[in-house]
Amino acid sequence: MTALLELRGVCKRFGGVQAVADIALSVPPGQLAAVIGPNGAGKTTLFNIIAGAVAPSAGEVRLDGADIARVPMHGRVKLGLARTFQNLRIVPDLSVAENVLLGLDAHRPGGVLRDLLGGATRRAAEERRQVLALLDRVGLAARADDPAGGLAYGEGKLLELARALASAPRLLLLDEPAAGLPHAEAGRMASLIRGIARDGTTVLLVEHNMRLVMSIAQHILVMSGGRQIAAGTPDQVSRDPAVIEAYLGRDDDA
Amino acid sequence: MSGLPHPAWLGLVFVALLAWPFLSPNDYVTLLGVGFLVNVGLVVGLNLVAGYCGQVSLCHATFFGLGAYASGVLAARYGWDPMAGLPAAVALASLGAVIIGIPALRLHGHYLAMATLGFSAIMTVMFNELVSLTGGPNGLLGVPGFVRDFGHPVDMPLGQYLVAWCYAGLCMLIALRLLASRTGRTMRAITFSELAAGGLGVDTARVKIAIFVLAAAMAGAGGWVYVHVNQFASPETFGFLRSVLLLTAVAIGGWGRFWGPLPGALVLTMTPEVLGRFHDFEMLIFGGALVLVLLAYPGGLAALGAALRGRLRRARA
Amino acid sequence: MPPMDAAALLQVLFGGLGTGAIYGLVGLGFSLIYRATGAVNFAQGEWVMLAGMATAAGHMAGFATGLAGAASLLLVVAVGVASYLLAVQRLRDASPLLITMVSIGIAIFTKGAIMVTLGKNPTGYPGPLGDAVLRIAGAAIPAQSLIVLAACAGFIFALQVFFARSRTGLALRAAAADRDAAALVGVPVQRMVMLSFGLAAAAGAVAGLVITPLTLIDYNQGTMLGFKGFSAAMLGGMGHPLGAVAGGLLLGTLEGLAGYAISSRFKEAVAFLLLLAVLFLRPSGLFGKRKAERV
């Protein structure tokens, strides 16, 4: 079976800094995979390479067997890739529901001319139903018509998740979904993510929170200094001496 | 979308604006209304580009000029009917926007500012130097008015006002439709964060180019209204300063506010009138006003109006 | 097209280099503020004009031209710093877009204020060498254009020394490279931005002081000088001070050649056309490194 996401020899240099060096990763469909590593390990750069926000200096990025290295960010969304952002990128002067609509828009045809000539309003009721269903899933249905700018931080993270799900992705990329969340909310986020994966969406997350990753991920890639230092199941990596040295040994409170 | 009025409000405002030529004491005041309405159309388009998409365009007056010269030259030199000049005006302005917008808006950063500035400078030279077509610095003379043969000539102020009224109303209606649609949502997302919009599957360059061309088309149509009302065009009307003043009107009216173009165009139209022989102070005042608005009240006059309405409502409750 | 004789060509080239040095200085100002804020400062050209106009006013009022020039330089630097302190620094959300818009406001305000106070007529003053003309291989070159080149070179040299050697210069470079990191190691970032405004204004002022004896100046010329400076900075790669200077020299020379070889009526248009062509083909500028989009 081909992997849904396949990375081979991915490298990225910024000026003289090797941010990502020769990373390989294979995520089969339906898996919940994670990339972890201390600050500056190159996780976020790798994430941005997969999402298309950063072009790799070398290497292959394959989605369902097809090389997507030259597909721009917005094109990857149409191929079934959705992402959330580490620092919230919800649009504050749109309502909560409208933010989710932005995600729904990804797969609908049309452009400026089509919008001017009308026709967009016809599907409003159906869209509304979809939006409310997505918001309900993350527990924000009651806030649908509030301005998104008024949400608390944790609620913003949930809205990002709902918005990413709106484009019905095959591969969901989560950039530190639990960062900055208090313990209880992080737990809630973990069970949401597990539910998403159980429903068949492949998930790749980049996380700082070791406990969260260890509790939900099936496969973990550990990075340090841009390189892979270990990979495997949570059990395997947590026993790996290199991981303990590079990560746990120094930064066990993360 | 939040902050957009029901279309009926737009209708109401424009029905009220119909009263102007009947209230005005003389033709001069009626024609001021025409100038105001043309400015409204121009500022509406620029507000879409600058206010809603966050792109600094410094050649909006150039598109205005391309529209004016396209229809003006065809009518004055080649005897075209003014009505036939409208598609030409819109087409030429849009073409200019396509040529500049496609390469510039695919890049990030300050390329649009640079490209529009360069385009403005190039076209100013063309307007001045292509004397056999444009009449050069002395201006294009002999442009016919809108309807010459209609029992009595309708290039009187009332007829001109109606044309300008239709123009401004149509521009605002198009803007309203667009902003209420998913493109409006997308524009908000782009202004907030291009990265986030791209990450949501938005082809940001395409949306920005489309809006840029639409705004140029509106400006071209405005040039068509202008040239057949004034029956004259000269290069300094379409120069860099005018582009900057239009941008100032966007900011003063309210950056990315639907109603902003109305107060913005009003200030733009009325300031020279109010200053009269002190017109040398115009730049000083516009420059100062732009800085003050951005510092003290970034939402502009439209936001001020909304805040006052809110306060009034609370006081009544 | 006039015949290409060597003397005429030399004269055109020299003239182009002189104008180009001015564009380079103005472009340097754009680059400095761009590095510090990410914004395009449209007031830059007005500062050039202010320096020339103020010195001319001092000269007319009977002050020694050197004294008037020095006072104008200080005045322009003060205006630059004040523009930062009174406007840019007070923005609630100091995005590059908003700073750019504010600078447009400052530009029109400055232009309007100078028009109202110093009048609309072109003015000027003689340079230290007067109207002396050098004859080199048959070409007539105004001595003042040598002063232009020397002033440009001198300012750039001084700036390089400042950046490379002084503590403040290093701090400024650190702040430009990474604001947050610089703030973490104790660089007063706000002060560095203010300093950038001051230096940019000084670059503009020097350009204005040396160009005015050659061309005369009026309130309206700042805008075009600003365009050319911005073009030079973009051509050289925005944010590269030395690139801006090279871009300016190239732009000035191209403009001179275009005026000579094609048409003086369309020379402005030709220069901008070339500029746009270069930028669309090589967006990072001629000397800028291709760099990844910032995320």
Side-chain angles (χ1 to χ4, degrees), chain B:
Chain B
M1 188 165 79
S2 21
L4 286 180
H6 191 276
W9 284 107
L10 184 59
L12 208 63
V13 167
F14 269 79
V15 167
L17 281 173
L18 262 187
W20 182 256
F22 300 101
L23 296 175
S24 99
N26 54 42
D27 286 358
Y28 180 77
V29 175
T30 307
L31 286 175
L32 266 184
V34 175
F36 164 72
L37 289 169
V38 170
N39 279 334
V40 168
L42 294 176
V43 178
V44 165
L46 190 57
N47 191 29
L48 291 176
V49 173
Y52 284 97
C53 288
Q55 304 298 310
V56 178
S57 163
L58 294 170
C59 69
H60 207 59
T62 309
F63 296 138
F64 179 47
L66 282 173
Y69 276 114
S71 190
V73 167
L74 285 174
R77 302 262 191 266
Y78 302 97
W80 281 40
D81 187 274
M83 289 301 159
L86 176 60
V90 170
L92 190 64
S94 312
L95 180 69
V98 167
I99 292 172
I100 287 301
I102 287 184
L105 286 167
R106 292 212 164 271
L107 304 167
H108 294 257
H110 297 292
Y111 295 98
L112 189 70
M114 180 71 248
T116 52
L117 207 154
F119 187 61
S120 164
I122 292 169
M123 291 319 295
T124 298
V125 171
M126 295 302 165
F127 294 157
N128 274 300
E129 300 296 342
L130 297 176
V131 179
S132 59
L133 275 181
T134 64
N138 295 329
L140 178 66
L141 298 167
V143 180
F146 275 111
V147 181
R148 277 165 297 183
D149 217 6
F150 204 69
H152 57 88
V154 183
D155 47 336
M156 339 179 289
L158 178 60
Q160 295 172 336
Y161 187 88
L162 287 177
V163 174
W165 179 84
C166 289
Y167 164 67
L170 207 60
C171 285
M172 289 202 78
L173 193 63
I174 289 174
L176 183 58
R177 270 205 87 114
L178 194 71
L179 292 170
S181 75
R182 85 172 188 179
T183 301
R185 255 193 322 267
T186 309
M187 285 157 70
R188 292 283 181 165
I190 292 175
T191 319
F192 172 66
S193 160
E194 275 203 35
L195 178 68
L200 289 168
V202 176
D203 185 346
T204 53
R206 212 177 116 177
V207 174
K208 284 188 291 181
I209 291 167
I211 300 298
F212 186 62
V213 174
L214 175 72
M218 285 182 181
W224 170 78
V225 176
Y226 171 88
V227 81
H228 293 292
V229 166
N230 288 278
Q231 305 186 9
F232 174 75
S234 90
E236 78 266 9
T237 316
F238 313 115
F240 176 70
L241 184 65
R242 176 74 172 226
S243 291
V244 167
L245 289 182
L246 286 169
L247 209 50
T248 306
V250 170
I252 291 176
W255 200 247
R257 301 271 172 166
F258 179 75
W259 292 114
L262 290 175
L266 190 67
V267 171
L268 189 62
T269 314
M270 291 312 293
T271 305
E273 299 301 322
V274 172
L275 288 177
R277 68 192 173 83
F278 296 106
H279 61 88
D280 277 359
F281 285 86
E282 194 182 340
M283 277 195 285
L284 195 71
I285 289 171
F286 271 114
L290 179 55
V291 175
L292 283 180
V293 165
L294 291 174
L295 284 182
Y297 219 83
L301 292 174
L304 194 66
L308 285 179
R309 256 202 325 276
R311 195 165 297 170
L312 212 65
R313 206 171 296 149
R314 273 196 300 279
R316 244 185 276 145

Side-chain angles (χ1 to χ4, degrees), chain C residues 104-190:
Chain C
I104 291 177
I106 296 172
I108 337 178
F109 181 82
T110 311
K111 185 168 163 172
I114 293 171
M115 184 180 86
V116 171
T117 51
L118 297 179
K120 295 184 194 173
N121 296 325
T123 63
Y125 45 85
L129 300 179
D131 291 333
V133 170
L134 302 177
R135 303 220 161 259
I136 303 172
I141 290 150
Q144 180 68 25
S145 63
L146 294 182
I147 294 187
V148 168
L149 288 173
C152 175
F155 188 86
I156 292 156
F157 181 72
L159 199 65
Q160 287 304 112
V161 170
F162 168 73
F163 276 142
R165 296 289 159 79
S166 74
R167 280 185 74 84
T168 317
L170 285 174
L172 200 108
R173 273 165 52 199
D178 186 340
R179 284 177 81 105
D180 299 335
L184 280 176
V185 298
V187 172
V189 173
Q190 301 256 324

Side-chain angles (χ1 to χ4, degrees), chain A residues 62-86:
Chain A
R62 292 184 175 273
L63 188 70
D64 216 3
D67 188 359
I68 57 168
R70 299 189 66 83
V71 179
M73 188 162 54
H74 58 85
R76 296 187 192 194
V77 178
K78 297 201 166 44
L79 293 177
L81 208 141
R83 68 171 292 180
T84 63
F85 291 88
Q86 186 178 340

